Amino acid sequence: MADLMTFVQNELIAKKEFPEFGAGDTITVYYEIKEGEKTRTQFFKGVVIQRRGSGATETFTIRKMSGAVGVERIFPINLPALQKIEINKKGHVRRARIFYFRELTGKKAKIKDRRI
């Protein structure tokens, strides 16, 4: 049964090519929103908190500050509405899932840039 699931995920699900990114990176995600008959493109810019899963079920979580309120959004990597992902900054963090980032404010919430 597991072999059948991996076969379907690998062969039948169309994969989009996105740049490599990980926790601590600041990215902008462009996605399509349908409102009635109209469609428009909206973007969400923030810091990647985590990437989880693999294959067709992989997701990533982005956190941004909207005023004084933190907003998080989870995107599946194979979401048909995803148009493109831009990497704004590469960040250097020591963990794969930076949930501690939620409690940090001010200078402590700044992520160091990764040297390339």
Side-chain angles (χ1 to χ4, degrees):
M1 187 67 176
D3 294 332
L4 181 64
M5 291 293 286
T6 56
F7 173 76
V8 169
Q9 287 179 356
N10 292 338
E11 299 296 324
L12 301 178
I13 296 175
K15 292 186 179 182
K16 296 181 182 178
E17 293 297 321
F18 293 120
E20 287 295 319
F21 61 92
D25 296 347
T26 303
I27 65 172
T28 306
V29 178
Y30 294 89
Y31 59 98
E32 198 172 84
I33 289 185
K34 227 175 226 189
E35 295 173 336
E37 304 267 327
K38 298 178 183 178
T39 61
R40 63 184 176 89
T41 301
Q42 187 170 336
F43 68 91
F44 194 90
K45 181 179 179 180
V47 178
V48 178
I49 297 293
Q50 72 170 344
R51 281 185 80 157
R52 71 182 308 169
S54 63
T57 60
E58 186 175 1
T59 61
F60 59 97
T61 305
I62 300 179
R63 179 179 176 84
K64 75 172 183 177
M65 294 301 291
S66 180
V69 179
V71 179
E72 290 186 9
R73 177 119 194 227
I74 300 171
F75 290 98
I77 205 85
N78 286 326
L79 183 69
L82 276 184
Q83 292 181 341
K84 68 178 178 176
I85 296 175
E86 288 180 352
I87 298 177
N88 301 61
K89 287 194 310 186
K90 290 276 197 182
H92 175 73
V93 292
R94 294 168 58 170
R95 301 194 179 276
R97 297 182 176 170
I98 52 173
F99 297 131
Y100 66 87
F101 191 65
R102 294 173 177 156
E103 281 80 40
L104 301 181
T105 57
K107 279 189 176 180
K108 292 179 182 179
K110 188 173 181 182
I111 295 177
K112 293 180 183 177
D113 289 343
R114 187 183 322 157
R115 291 173 44 172
I116 299 173

